[in-house]
Amino acid sequence: MTNKRDKLNKDSGRGTPVKKTRKNLANATQTPPLAGASSSVPEEATEVAQGLRKTNHGVIFQLKLLMLFLIRGIRAGHAFRLGTEMEDIGGKFDDIIFQYEVDDGGKRQVNRYLQAKHKQDESTKITAGQLFNETEGDFSLLKYFSSYCGILSRGDDIQDCIICTNIGFNSENLLKKGIQLITVNTDDGMFKFRRHPVARYKIEIDPGHAFWGKLRQVNVEEPATKLKRNATDNEINSFFDKLVFVVNTPNEVHLGNLLTEEVGEYYKLNKADFQSDFILRNMLDWFKLKKSEFLTSKQGQEILHQGEQKLTSLRMTSVSINYQTKLQEAIEFNAVAIDEMTEKLKTLLDSPNKIERIRTAFPKRTAVKVSAALKTLEKFKRDDSYLMSSSKGLKTTSASDKDAFKLEHQLLVVVCKDGHAEHDSYYENLIGDNQTQLKNKKVIILCHDGVGTRDDLKFTQLSNNCMEKLLDKEVSFQGTVQTVRDLIGNGNQEEVIDDNSMEELLVGKKVVNIPLHDFVPAFDEELYIERKIILPFDDTFFDELVAETDCTRDELLGKLKVTVKNNIEWFVDGREKEELWHKINKIFEKRRQSTDSAWLDNRIPEKDLTPLEEWENRVVVVSDVAGTGKSTMLSNYYRKTRNEKPDDWIIKMDLVDHIGALRQFNPDEVDQQVEAIKFFITNIPNVRESPFAQSLLRHKLQTGDGIVVMLDGFDEIDIQCQDKCISLIKAIRLTNLNALYITTRPHLNGKLQDSLFQLAYTLRDFSQEDQINYLSGYWKKQLKVDADAEVRSIATSIVERLSKSLKGNERSFIGIPLQCHIVADCFESQVYDIIQNGCNLEALLKDLDSNLNLDTLYERLFKKKREIYRQEKAKVQQVNNHILHNSLEDHMECLEIYLRDLAVKTIVSDQTHIDCLLGKSNESAATIEQRHKKREEGSVCFGLLTLNRKGEFQFLHSTYAEYLMANYLYGGFRLDEDLRNKLLDEKPTRELIGSEILVGLQYQGVQLFIDFMLQEMVNHEKWHVIRRVGTDQNFNFPSRFTDFTNELYSVCIQKRSANALMVAVERYHANLFEILCTFADLTLEKYQILQLIKLLFRHVDSGMQFKPAKRNLLAFFWERKLDGFQRLLGWHDGKHADYTSLIAKAIYVYAPYLSIQDPQSEKDLKMQKEFFSQLLEFMLQNRSTVEKYITRWPKQYRSLFDDWYLVLTSFLRYEYYNSLLEPLVRLVLQTTSDSALVLIVNVAFHNHKDDFEQAKVEKLSSVLIEMERTDVLAQLPREMLVLAPEAFNFVYKYHQLCDRKKWLPEKESDVMTQLNTMAFQGETTAVQDILRKVSKDLNSDTPETRKMAKDIVHYMTCRCGTNPYTLTYRAAVCGQEEMFRVMLQFVKEVLPDDELQTALISKNGFLHGAFWDAKASGKIETLQSIMKAVRETMGPESQLNLVKSRRLGIVSVSSMNFIQDALSLIDYQRQSSLSMRLIINALAKAMTENSPDGYKYFNDLIFHEERNISTLKYLDAQHLSGLMSVEGCKNWMKRLLEAAMKVPEDSISSLQDDLLSKFNNEELQCFLTAITSNIDQPSRSISVWAKLIHSSCKGNATYSPDVKQMFNYISKKLGKRTIVKLILSDNGSTVEWVALRGYTEILDVMLAALPPADQEQLRQRLANNAHQKMFEEFLSKVPIGWDRPQSYSNAVEVIRYCLKNGSKEQLSKFANSATFVYEIQEKKFSIWNTFNDTIFTNQIGFDRDIQVKAPSFFVLFFGKGFGSPGR
């Protein structure tokens, strides 16, 4: 018989299919030969088993029978040996050899031999032929008899020899063949199957049967002699007796099921699939041994015991699998991550160490990676090949379960849930000490600590599916639900989702919560009114900065840029930046000191400062006084940004709430950026608890991906915190946040601005319309009445009344939003009474008139809140008696004390100062806390407090605290002993108030309220008594006031610092000034007072260099305290020269800038006039000091009273000041020089012509005449004197007397005297007679007579000597029209034509001065009179020559022929469009009226110089039509456009709608025909339209508004299609040109004017042609040459277009072309290299934003190594 073991082992090495390999059979037993085995087996293993079953089913049947004998032998209690495949023992009965001991009086070994035959086709039957088969058949009796004889010969005790098969006999066939079946009825436990009866037979064959003969022929070997013989009949009978056929057994599958049940019974389990499989595999391992060995019963029992252990192992495996499955539900890794872990595991598994560690921050996540990696290793492919357990689960495992690991698993992976592992000895105990058996066992620990292999958790390691799940995870971000993907945007996902963030997203709630970052005060959106923001810069700033520096404009643009929204972008740093900043500050210091506030009109809507995506590191400093709504504006920005950009992170912090954190902030850290990020992470609630929030915040700060920081209340933190805050801002700006807002009050402006190098924005107060809207909106909402119109009417009345009754700066009282709100709150009940109960509105308005200021407003508010609270409290208690009343009042008093104390603690930061003001309490902390808690509860109901983010109470607005503290301090000053508190009774408190609170910047709000409160004291009768009798020695001035004053004086003298008196002046606190001055008068000596007030004059000297600040010493007296100036002069006793000098300086510097306006009352008029009278008198009395002061200054600073022109203007403007003209003129003349007065008058006249009407000029002239200073009068502007004929005549006579004898002999002089006399007397006929005689004398035969006549002609036609006037000039300006014509006729007759024209236009000619002076003075009637007389007398040509005599004189300031000096420039700049309109139309009328050819000459005037066309917009339509009528509309339009094309920078501007609006439809159509026509140029033909656009863009690219206006007007009159025809008149070439050169504003205007279809077509065309155009333009403008430096400003525009419009493919091609390397003279260059070097080296005005907007483009370029964007 072939040995099955050898056969199967041989098959296993063939490399052929697995169907017959015993080795593969063993491997495949995971899908057991036992039916119903474990379902955990892989599908591929099941397929292998099925293949094996088809080929080796007999072996499997044999194996299961072996298992059956093993189990039943053990259960029967036999001591046995079980063998198989031992042919030398069992022969053909070697499938099972079962030897067991029987004790039946003596122990003996009984043997059972079995041969198994399994058939797949169970329908087959055993036949006689098979039994009688002589060729080794499965059932051949001959071969079995031979084996039996061999067994018998050994003398074995044979129980039976069994042929076991799953098929039965063919009984009929056997019977026919002489074979009889004998049923065996004895019990055999081995073949007893429940639910499957088995038949056992013996066979009987008659000895006479022929088969016996064959049996007898079988050779039998004698054991002793080894000789062979034939079998005997006894041996044959014995064979048939021992041979048993066990037929119809269960097939191998069914047998497997039965065995599983059997095993289950043994182990007492309902299901024992796994145990059965385990036993079978052990049997198979024994079966496969190359050398057959018996399996003893003891060994069998060990197998069953191991099965029991296997059960435990299975349980542990199941727990391990479940644990891994649970971990895998949360996360999944990609193949790359798994491969990386596999390599790490290989190293660890190959290590000799039994204990290995993988160091990981997240053991559970690494466990998933380890689990996946183990499955890639052959040894651990099965789930049960290793164990994975949490450290906690391992500790709770039973000892027997732990022992199972020692036997079953080679690897244990321990996941330390808390990250910390046990000592190695703990894990060594799990392995055991049997090194032989357990030499390959290993424990891998996943934990935080250790020095082993490290594993990091990264987002990129996740599988795609897991990544998507995490990115789709919902996050509640600042109130909106978004996904992680939305929040990260285009950012680096791996950077944002770091390991900690990933863990939070994996294990966190369904929705991760990142709540609102901080306490954001609520505000009523419904009532919110958006404001205007006042920008610090205006259009002229940059020009001023260019003038202030030594840079050109382009050089300056290379150092800084001011954005449209007025943010400074710096391109320099260090000292250069500081120097530039100093110059910027210098410019704004001049502006702030100037009376010209035009620069403050540069405003933008509040919404324009809302953070934009393109903002980068923008700092917005918002500075304004208390109550202007800075915090509310930030809250509005916060709300809007959060709604419009929900994925932006807006951090709004109230700095007061973070004082502790600011103090801990360390700006000295090496990495300030990290420290700043740490600050925000730590101090934003909920962020510090959320790793994802931290990571997201860090990412947004580092990338600028939507991060805005708002810091509120810089002025409310102490100095140390302010410095830390500035350091924090600088540090956080090292990140890439979009914008940072910070609010402050003005006194800390400089600190922030100088630190951040940015100027602050201010908020425009509520306009009257805003005030009305707010008041009416508030009342409608609160009162809930259906009377919108009536409510608005009441609001309008209140606002209008306040605007009239309040003075000066007080008019903006309710323009401050908080104060407007308080007004609405305070008067709510009165408004309700007016609407519902018909109360009188006028009573409310009178109340406002008489008693409304800041103090009374807040007093009303607190009174209202107090009354509401009292009423509510009384309602609750519902008892009305005096005890309750007293209790309630006590309660109210306690609340007010609490509020007062809280106010002091809110405003004062120093605890020692707080204790000084409030006193130290001796009560226990618990008692104080309990009382405070009780008071807090009531104070909240009071309506003034709110909770901050820390749960602490704070005032709704800081001004509430300032008011309460001021009220507390005011109590110390009260005159009434019953009302005053004791604050001023203690020296420390007095010193604190006098040296700190009344001086410090942080107490400005408190100072303001105190000043208002002191009004009550100043108006008190007791105070008037004190002032009257205070100097009486018997008067007892309160000691607290004298002590306060002496200590104030002492501190001031010792510290040499600002004192309360000085601060009161600087901050315009008139009542405080009054109190302190009176205290000083009644306490100090005069010299002490002078010492005290000297500091008031400390800024006076700077006024010589800069215009003084609007708030100054003199302005304070003028605006707030008129009688204070008298007091100031009263301290002057003439003994202290330095004090005299100080006052004189102050008057000299500050007086010109006093705002002189119409007085409100007769009393005010008298006081104001007295003020100036005293001022001028003091200056005159001390004129030597004044003169000395002026001449002391270096020449460049000597302004010589030039700013006093403002005073002169005011004195002329207001009649009640006219009487002060004389002392003013005398002061100037007596302290300086004639030229100083002349300069003052010149400047005053040219800046304020409207104030120099005839009467005023006459008044000023009469002052000079009375002073006998005609010489000064004669030096005054001619244009001014033209307005006052009487004064002019006086000056004319003066010049005549001075010059007459110098220029004419006596006889000629007599004639001129006679001529002048007649002219002055208006004797036209006499003048005409004299001139006729002179004309006749020109032809005299007498030389002397002819000479005398020529001299007189010369005198008449030319200015002579120093006299600027001719007699003709005088006649013209004095309105002597007939006489003027006589003189013109005379000149025309006596002069040849060429000499006449020369004399006419010469600056020394007889008429030129009169004409232009009349024009300059705006005296239209004189101008027209001259023009008309010249035309009618001399002809239209002469008239035209006169007007053309100064080119561009009627049009532009650029003509230096017209504007000869600065005064003329001022004159032009201030000339209004109305004046220009009057002048140009006056000229038109004078040239065309009653003149057939007038418009011909007028056309010649207009087109004489192309710039003159800009005056056409001022011309009336009838004159325009007249101009066109001369040449025809078509020719005139052509001429107009030709002129426009010659003025590049003004070509479009001169044609916009002011001119076009005057054209009728026909004329406008004619204009369009002309503008779309072509003009020929040397290189190509181009349309007029294109030429105009080209010229405008090259001259100034900001003419888009003019183009838009032109489009609007044309489309309005001729329809939109007309505009389309215009824009596309050259097939869109002009649009393409504009786009190509980057003139985006004009391009946008053009595209907007087109219909959508045309827009799209044009855009497509641009896109299609873009690459070629870009390429050609760029290459044509940038030469390749290292030796040809040139400007590339034009190429910059091409680059800009490339970046904005080029596709990726186009840019790539462009980049390749531009970066192609050329070699010239052994040097390598590219076009881009040349361009880039020049751009950054020469600092051409390249748009730096380009680098940000199109990084991909620069990557293409710089990636090739040509240049760097940072150069």
Side-chain angles (χ1 to χ4, degrees), residues 77 279 354 479 490 610 631 785 816 902 968 1093 1119 1155 1386 1431 1500 1661 1701 1758 1763:
I279 295 169
K354 295 296 181 186
N490 296 324
T610 304
S631 300
V785 292
I816 294 176
L902 180 61
Y968 178 49
I1093 67 171
E1119 296 178 22
S1155 179
F1386 166 75
R1431 177 167 60 83
D1500 290 345
R1661 172 181 169 182
N1701 300 286
F1758 302 132

Tab-separated table of all heavy atoms in Angstrom, residues 77 279 354 479 490 610 631 785 816 902 968 1093 1119 1155 1386 1431 1500 1661 1701 1758 1763:
chain	number	residue	atom	x	y	z
A	77	GLY	N	-12.501	6.395	28.956
A	77	GLY	CA	-11.543	6.231	30.045
A	77	GLY	C	-10.442	5.267	29.745
A	77	GLY	O	-9.728	4.806	30.646
A	279	ILE	N	-8.856	20.766	17.347
A	279	ILE	CA	-8.459	19.376	17.570
A	279	ILE	C	-8.076	18.733	16.248
A	279	ILE	O	-7.063	18.032	16.124
A	279	ILE	CB	-9.593	18.591	18.243
A	279	ILE	CG1	-9.840	19.168	19.641
A	279	ILE	CG2	-9.264	17.096	18.328
A	279	ILE	CD1	-11.115	18.637	20.292
A	354	LYS	N	12.053	41.419	23.953
A	354	LYS	CA	10.708	40.906	24.106
A	354	LYS	C	9.698	42.040	24.222
A	354	LYS	O	8.533	41.887	23.838
A	354	LYS	CB	10.617	40.005	25.354
A	354	LYS	CG	11.440	38.735	25.261
A	354	LYS	CD	10.928	37.843	24.161
A	354	LYS	CE	11.738	36.564	24.082
A	354	LYS	NZ	11.317	35.746	22.911
A	479	GLY	N	-21.360	80.935	15.669
A	479	GLY	CA	-22.803	81.062	15.496
A	479	GLY	C	-23.332	80.518	14.194
A	479	GLY	O	-24.546	80.441	13.998
A	490	ASN	N	-8.921	77.251	0.948
A	490	ASN	CA	-7.824	76.823	0.083
A	490	ASN	C	-6.539	76.579	0.863
A	490	ASN	O	-5.476	76.418	0.276
A	490	ASN	CB	-7.565	77.871	-1.007
A	490	ASN	CG	-8.750	78.025	-1.932
A	490	ASN	OD1	-9.432	77.046	-2.237
A	490	ASN	ND2	-9.017	79.242	-2.372
A	610	THR	N	-14.957	98.344	6.344
A	610	THR	CA	-15.217	96.942	6.662
A	610	THR	C	-14.080	96.111	6.074
A	610	THR	O	-13.655	96.360	4.950
A	610	THR	CB	-16.555	96.485	6.042
A	610	THR	OG1	-17.583	97.357	6.497
A	610	THR	CG2	-16.879	95.068	6.467
A	631	SER	N	-16.865	101.757	19.983
A	631	SER	CA	-17.130	100.342	20.311
A	631	SER	C	-18.316	99.814	19.522
A	631	SER	O	-18.309	98.678	19.040
A	631	SER	CB	-17.399	100.196	21.809
A	631	SER	OG	-16.290	100.638	22.565
A	785	VAL	N	-46.138	103.768	19.550
A	785	VAL	CA	-47.317	104.569	19.193
A	785	VAL	C	-47.402	104.671	17.686
A	785	VAL	O	-46.388	104.670	16.986
A	785	VAL	CB	-47.234	105.987	19.817
A	785	VAL	CG1	-47.352	105.906	21.326
A	785	VAL	CG2	-45.946	106.685	19.417
A	816	ILE	N	-22.940	113.637	19.110
A	816	ILE	CA	-22.234	112.490	19.681
A	816	ILE	C	-23.276	111.415	19.976
A	816	ILE	O	-24.215	111.634	20.742
A	816	ILE	CB	-21.487	112.912	20.957
A	816	ILE	CG1	-20.368	113.899	20.583
A	816	ILE	CG2	-20.914	111.704	21.677
A	816	ILE	CD1	-19.629	114.468	21.760
A	902	LEU	N	-17.815	101.698	42.423
A	902	LEU	CA	-17.489	100.964	41.198
A	902	LEU	C	-16.950	101.919	40.143
A	902	LEU	O	-16.018	101.572	39.390
A	902	LEU	CB	-18.729	100.240	40.671
A	902	LEU	CG	-18.527	99.430	39.381
A	902	LEU	CD1	-17.492	98.323	39.584
A	902	LEU	CD2	-19.851	98.829	38.906
A	968	TYR	N	-18.743	112.745	42.478
A	968	TYR	CA	-18.157	112.498	43.799
A	968	TYR	C	-17.090	113.552	44.107
A	968	TYR	O	-17.051	114.110	45.210
A	968	TYR	CB	-17.572	111.093	43.797
A	968	TYR	CG	-16.886	110.687	45.088
A	968	TYR	CD1	-17.501	110.866	46.322
A	968	TYR	CD2	-15.621	110.092	45.055
A	968	TYR	CE1	-16.871	110.467	47.496
A	968	TYR	CE2	-14.989	109.695	46.219
A	968	TYR	CZ	-15.615	109.892	47.444
A	968	TYR	OH	-14.997	109.510	48.598
A	1093	ILE	N	1.211	130.485	35.864
A	1093	ILE	CA	0.605	130.567	34.531
A	1093	ILE	C	1.622	130.652	33.409
A	1093	ILE	O	1.250	130.664	32.237
A	1093	ILE	CB	-0.364	131.768	34.432
A	1093	ILE	CG1	0.420	133.087	34.515
A	1093	ILE	CG2	-1.443	131.681	35.474
A	1093	ILE	CD1	-0.430	134.293	34.206
A	1119	GLU	N	-13.403	131.981	23.122
A	1119	GLU	CA	-14.549	131.094	22.928
A	1119	GLU	C	-15.261	130.721	24.218
A	1119	GLU	O	-16.461	130.464	24.214
A	1119	GLU	CB	-14.086	129.819	22.211
A	1119	GLU	CG	-13.571	130.065	20.810
A	1119	GLU	CD	-13.082	128.798	20.141
A	1119	GLU	OE1	-13.508	127.703	20.570
A	1119	GLU	OE2	-12.281	128.886	19.199
A	1155	SER	N	-11.853	132.868	15.949
A	1155	SER	CA	-13.004	132.738	15.051
A	1155	SER	C	-14.001	133.863	15.319
A	1155	SER	O	-14.833	133.783	16.225
A	1155	SER	CB	-13.665	131.371	15.273
A	1155	SER	OG	-14.774	131.220	14.445
A	1386	PHE	N	-8.534	159.781	-29.357
A	1386	PHE	CA	-7.325	160.602	-29.469
A	1386	PHE	C	-6.111	159.716	-29.750
A	1386	PHE	O	-5.303	159.990	-30.645
A	1386	PHE	CB	-7.132	161.405	-28.180
A	1386	PHE	CG	-5.776	162.021	-28.063
A	1386	PHE	CD1	-5.430	163.144	-28.826
A	1386	PHE	CD2	-4.809	161.494	-27.209
A	1386	PHE	CE1	-4.174	163.717	-28.717
A	1386	PHE	CE2	-3.571	162.057	-27.104
A	1386	PHE	CZ	-3.238	163.176	-27.862
A	1431	ARG	N	-13.814	148.133	-29.085
A	1431	ARG	CA	-14.330	147.628	-30.361
A	1431	ARG	C	-14.928	148.732	-31.200
A	1431	ARG	O	-14.680	148.818	-32.411
A	1431	ARG	CB	-15.378	146.542	-30.093
A	1431	ARG	CG	-16.044	146.000	-31.372
A	1431	ARG	CD	-16.814	144.727	-31.102
A	1431	ARG	NE	-17.866	144.893	-30.123
A	1431	ARG	CZ	-19.091	145.366	-30.402
A	1431	ARG	NH1	-19.404	145.718	-31.626
A	1431	ARG	NH2	-19.998	145.470	-29.460
A	1500	ASP	N	-11.835	132.989	-32.764
A	1500	ASP	CA	-10.373	133.146	-32.817
A	1500	ASP	C	-9.782	133.219	-31.411
A	1500	ASP	O	-8.687	132.696	-31.165
A	1500	ASP	CB	-10.004	134.417	-33.591
A	1500	ASP	CG	-10.290	134.284	-35.077
A	1500	ASP	OD1	-10.490	133.127	-35.529
A	1500	ASP	OD2	-10.341	135.304	-35.778
A	1661	ARG	N	-13.162	88.396	-26.978
A	1661	ARG	CA	-12.152	88.844	-27.946
A	1661	ARG	C	-10.846	89.180	-27.237
A	1661	ARG	O	-9.757	88.836	-27.704
A	1661	ARG	CB	-12.682	90.068	-28.685
A	1661	ARG	CG	-11.635	90.726	-29.581
A	1661	ARG	CD	-12.189	91.940	-30.265
A	1661	ARG	NE	-11.142	92.711	-30.901
A	1661	ARG	CZ	-11.335	93.840	-31.536
A	1661	ARG	NH1	-12.559	94.322	-31.628
A	1661	ARG	NH2	-10.335	94.489	-32.090
A	1701	ASN	N	-5.538	89.103	-16.642
A	1701	ASN	CA	-6.412	88.552	-17.684
A	1701	ASN	C	-5.865	87.332	-18.406
A	1701	ASN	O	-6.608	86.668	-19.116
A	1701	ASN	CB	-6.714	89.645	-18.728
A	1701	ASN	CG	-7.419	90.835	-18.103
A	1701	ASN	OD1	-8.590	90.777	-17.785
A	1701	ASN	ND2	-6.686	91.920	-17.907
A	1758	PHE	N	10.055	83.531	-11.507
A	1758	PHE	CA	11.146	83.455	-10.554
A	1758	PHE	C	11.648	82.030	-10.390
A	1758	PHE	O	12.748	81.793	-9.931
A	1758	PHE	CB	10.704	84.018	-9.203
A	1758	PHE	CG	10.244	85.440	-9.304
A	1758	PHE	CD1	9.053	85.844	-8.727
A	1758	PHE	CD2	10.990	86.369	-10.001
A	1758	PHE	CE1	8.629	87.144	-8.833
A	1758	PHE	CE2	10.568	87.680	-10.104
A	1758	PHE	CZ	9.391	88.074	-9.532
A	1763	GLY	N	15.773	87.026	-11.438
A	1763	GLY	CA	15.271	88.078	-10.560
A	1763	GLY	C	14.536	87.514	-9.373
A	1763	GLY	O	14.359	86.329	-9.202
